[in-house]
Amino acid sequence: MIELHDVHKQLGDREILRGLTLTVPKGKNYVIMGRSGIGKSVTLKHVIGIFQPDRGKVVVDGVDMATVTPVDLRELRKRMGYLFQNGALLNWLTVAENVALPLREHTKMSRSEIGDRVMKVLELVGMDHAAGNYPARISGGMKLRAGMARALITEPEYVLYDEPNAGLDPIMSDQIHNLIVEVRDRLGVTGLVVTHSRACAFTVGDIIGVVDDGKILEEGTVAEMQKSEHELVHQFIGGGAD
Ligand SMILES: Nc1ncnc2c1ncn2[C@@H]1O[C@H](COP(=O)(O)OP(=O)(O)OP(=O)(O)O)[C@@H](O)[C@H]1O
Ligand SMILES: [Mg+2]
């Protein structure tokens, strides 16, 4: 379970988060929607500890991220996968080397074990044919799928997905959404997903939270949110899937 309690965060001269509270129950996907620049990526970065709240707390499986020892923080991070916005691949490594990186850093697995695991997860995201390519030579959608493979390679219990379908065509988007659902249902992964896409929210979201003014304006299931009285909520999830 991931819990954010009353998180406040100032960056530069702006208070980006102003009392953000949300809970992601174990084995569920919580989808965060909200305007560009509102603080969605900043929220995810609090969960892996890139940012610390000025006030409030982030608790993962009962462990407060602010008081965790460095050793426990490392252990916790091993159990988390992160799909960065736009994939964030290292340009000087091939797709396969990028995907292998978390295993090289965090485990003592042998080269051949790592190679096998990398090919399996690349197959899962439909990228096995591009294993030897460098990021500069692949499309935005392929980068994102490689980023997804890297997020899943350590078989994490938690995955944070920052705009998993940005720049993908509708067919590829559907594949990624289905993959996120599969990862939840088959592996029991708990997910925190940032997206602007209704199709994504409708397919993967157990709970949708719309963030505005640094906090959750409203949260609920898709059906609940469609009955919302807030105009902003309508703008994000009113109507059918896009
Ligand atoms: N490291 C940082 N230092 C200073 N300001 C930052 C930093 N990271 C983010 N910000 C600011 O925080 C605000 C929220 O950024 P964030 O990236 O969370 O937006 P977002 O909701 O993810 O937007 P988008 O939908 O465009 O990805 C922005 O104004 C951004 O400029
Ligand atoms: Mg963002």
Side-chain angles (χ1 to χ4, degrees):
M1 185 159 87
I2 300 172
E3 299 160 87
L4 281 82
H5 294 286
D6 194 33
V7 171
H8 290 250
K9 183 69 177 178
Q10 177 154 350
L11 289 168
D13 55 6
R14 264 185 65 207
E15 194 171 28
I16 308 293
L17 303 183
R18 301 159 163 256
L20 191 131
T21 296
L22 65 82
T23 298
V24 192
K26 199 143 195 70
K28 303 284 185 197
N29 284 324
Y30 189 113
V31 170
I32 300 177
M33 303 182 90
R35 279 188 265 254
S36 198
I38 204 79
K40 303 180 300 295
S41 297
V42 166
T43 302
L44 292 191
K45 286 172 184 167
H46 277 81
V47 178
I48 47 164
I50 292 177
F51 287 136
Q52 295 288 337
D54 299 331
R55 234 171 80 202
K57 58 184 177 178
V58 179
V59 180
V60 178
D61 277 351
V63 177
D64 186 335
M65 298 287 283
T67 56
V68 65
T69 64
V71 174
D72 287 347
L73 183 62
R74 264 181 68 92
E75 285 304 311
L76 201 60
R77 281 211 181 134
K78 275 190 216 170
R79 292 158 52 204
M80 285 189 191
Y82 198 115
L83 174 65
F84 287 92
Q85 210 164 346
N86 306 320
L89 302 177
L90 301 176
N91 282 323
W92 57 91
L93 298 179
T94 65
V95 164
E97 287 165 349
N98 266 285
V99 174
L101 213 53
L103 292 182
R104 294 241 164 87
E105 286 177 348
H106 294 307
T107 72
K108 294 195 167 67
M109 286 172 75
S110 72
R111 240 172 194 287
S112 73
E113 277 174 309
I114 291 178
D116 288 349
R117 182 91 81 86
V118 167
M119 283 317 288
K120 255 193 213 136
V121 76
L122 283 176
E123 269 168 39
L124 190 71
V125 299
M127 283 287 290
D128 42 319
H129 63 287
N133 289 19
Y134 284 89
R137 303 282 296 274
I138 61 177
S139 70
M142 290 166 84
K143 283 184 190 144
L144 207 54
R145 283 188 286 150
M148 183 91 172
R150 191 179 54 188
L152 296 175
I153 190 78
T154 53
E155 300 179 347
E157 289 164 51
Y158 297 98
V159 180
L160 314 177
Y161 306 92
D162 201 347
E163 304 208 14
N165 73 348
L168 300 187
D169 64 56
I171 297 164
M172 197 55 74
S173 285
D174 279 348
Q175 285 179 14
I176 290 286
H177 302 157
N178 292 338
L179 186 61
I180 293 173
V181 168
E182 207 179 307
V183 160
R184 178 196 62 196
D185 294 345
R186 288 217 343 234
L187 310 174
V189 165
T190 304
L192 189 53
V193 187
V194 166
T195 186
H196 288 122
S197 149
R198 265 179 219 161
C200 178
F202 283 29
T203 309
V204 313
D206 296 298
I207 307 169
I208 320 289
V210 171
V211 53
D212 196 32
D213 197 24
K215 32 179 155 351
I216 299 291
L217 173 70
E218 191 171 357
E219 64 176 14
T221 61
V222 169
E224 285 164 358
M225 295 294 272
Q226 282 178 321
K227 293 186 208 129
S228 170
E229 315 219 310
H230 291 288
E231 180 57 27
L232 186 70
V233 175
H234 269 279
Q235 284 168 343
F236 279 106
I237 61 161
D242 55 6

